[in-house]
Amino acid sequence: FPELLSNPKLVLVQGALNVVMKQNVTLSCLSESGSPPVRYTLFRHNQQVSALNSSHSTPALFTLTISSASDVGEYKCKAEYNISSGGKYSNSLNFTLIEPISKPVLSSPTSETKKGQNVTLSCLSENGSLPITYQFFKGKQNISPQKTMQKREAAVIFLFIDSLSDFGTYKCKANNSFPNNTKYSNGFNFTLAEERSHSQPLIISLGLILLLLIIGFALAIPFFIIPLYKASE
């Protein structure tokens, strides 16, 4: 009688559990105790993917190509003798598809500011696998520590506009676990708001009073000045 099979071990021997599209991965399945030949079957979400017969005490190797989102998820393998109706199942391995991030968008509630004012900058990539790490720059100078966002929400920094040197082009960059996929945002510039002097309201008020006097004088000409002129002739 064949030796009792042990639960096989499913091991990733090539690739990674975080996979990108078109990536190849290789899985090894082996029962450490058992008498060959042994039939090994690989399952994804309880659906058979492939099957191999091993006539020696060597692992069955399954090579897969991740070609769509349906190729990721939970994998298990089953070991059984051809003459038996039962079988033993392995541990599971879970593959996760990682996607490249989109170009982040840098924005602010206001683009016009003045010295002595607090402002905010927000950076967000609409697409790409989480988590996403953001960093902010002014010109080529880094102005913030890295901010890693576990949710699809913007990274935000607060700035204090202290001098004219704080005006300039701001940018942010974003990256995730997808290889070689750092993206930079659009440039964002704050503009200096015109500061109105305290005398401006007074000047405007005096101008309005003068205008009203001129209009009043023009209206008075046909009713008062012309009759007085005619009466004096």
Side-chain angles (χ1 to χ4, degrees):
F1 292 95
E3 183 182 357
L4 185 67
L5 276 172
S6 62
N7 288 85
K9 290 184 178 180
L10 186 63
V11 178
L12 179 68
V13 294
Q14 179 188 350
L17 292 178
N18 289 330
V19 293
V20 299
M21 205 68 76
K22 306 301 181 184
Q23 181 177 336
N24 292 327
V25 294
T26 301
L27 301 175
S28 165
C29 184
L30 176 65
S31 289
E32 292 183 350
S33 64
S35 302
V38 177
R39 180 176 177 83
Y40 294 99
T41 306
L42 183 68
F43 294 88
R44 179 182 64 245
H45 302 305
N46 298 321
Q47 292 185 340
Q48 181 175 327
V49 176
S50 182
L52 294 171
N53 292 318
S54 177
S55 57
H56 304 282
S57 298
T58 55
L61 297 177
F62 300 96
T63 298
L64 310 170
T65 300
I66 306 300
S67 56
S68 69
S70 63
D71 293 329
V72 297
E74 183 186 62
Y75 283 78
K76 285 185 176 182
C77 72
K78 178 184 179 183
E80 60 188 336
Y81 291 124
N82 289 330
I83 60 174
S84 69
S85 58
K88 295 292 183 67
Y89 284 90
S90 72
N91 56 297
S92 62
L93 290 178
N94 280 282
F95 288 96
T96 302
L97 183 66
I98 56 174
E99 298 176 311
I101 55 173
S102 58
K103 180 179 178 180
V105 175
L106 184 65
S107 61
S108 176
T110 179
S111 61
E112 193 175 78
T113 185
K114 57 187 178 182
K115 290 187 289 183
Q117 185 172 334
N118 291 309
V119 294
T120 61
L121 282 173
S122 301
C123 185
L124 176 65
S125 286
E126 292 284 355
N127 300 300
S129 302
L130 297 169
I132 299 176
T133 299
Y134 298 94
Q135 204 162 14
F136 293 81
F137 298 86
K138 180 181 176 293
K140 295 182 179 180
Q141 181 182 1
N142 175 19
I143 59 171
S144 77
Q146 291 186 347
K147 293 178 177 287
T148 300
M149 311 303 292
Q150 303 291 338
K151 298 180 180 180
R152 185 77 58 190
E153 57 188 18
V156 178
I157 63 168
F158 300 89
L159 302 173
F160 179 70
I161 304 299
D162 189 40
S163 65
L164 291 177
S165 63
D166 294 323
F167 292 88
T169 301
Y170 290 85
K171 284 189 175 184
C172 67
K173 74 174 182 179
N175 57 63
N176 62 359
S177 55
F178 194 93
N180 303 316
N181 187 48
T182 298
K183 297 284 183 66
Y184 285 86
S185 73
N186 54 295
F188 187 91
N189 291 77
F190 291 104
T191 57
L192 180 63
E194 294 183 4
E195 297 185 7
R196 297 179 178 178
S197 64
H198 296 294
S199 61
Q200 279 185 331
L202 179 61
I203 294 172
I204 293 173
S205 298
L206 291 175
L208 289 173
I209 293 172
L210 180 60
L211 179 61
L212 290 174
L213 288 174
I214 293 173
I215 293 173
F217 182 75
L219 293 174
I221 290 176
F223 296 101
F224 297 102
I225 298 177
I226 294 178
L228 288 173
Y229 177 75
K230 288 182 177 180
S232 63
E233 288 181 349

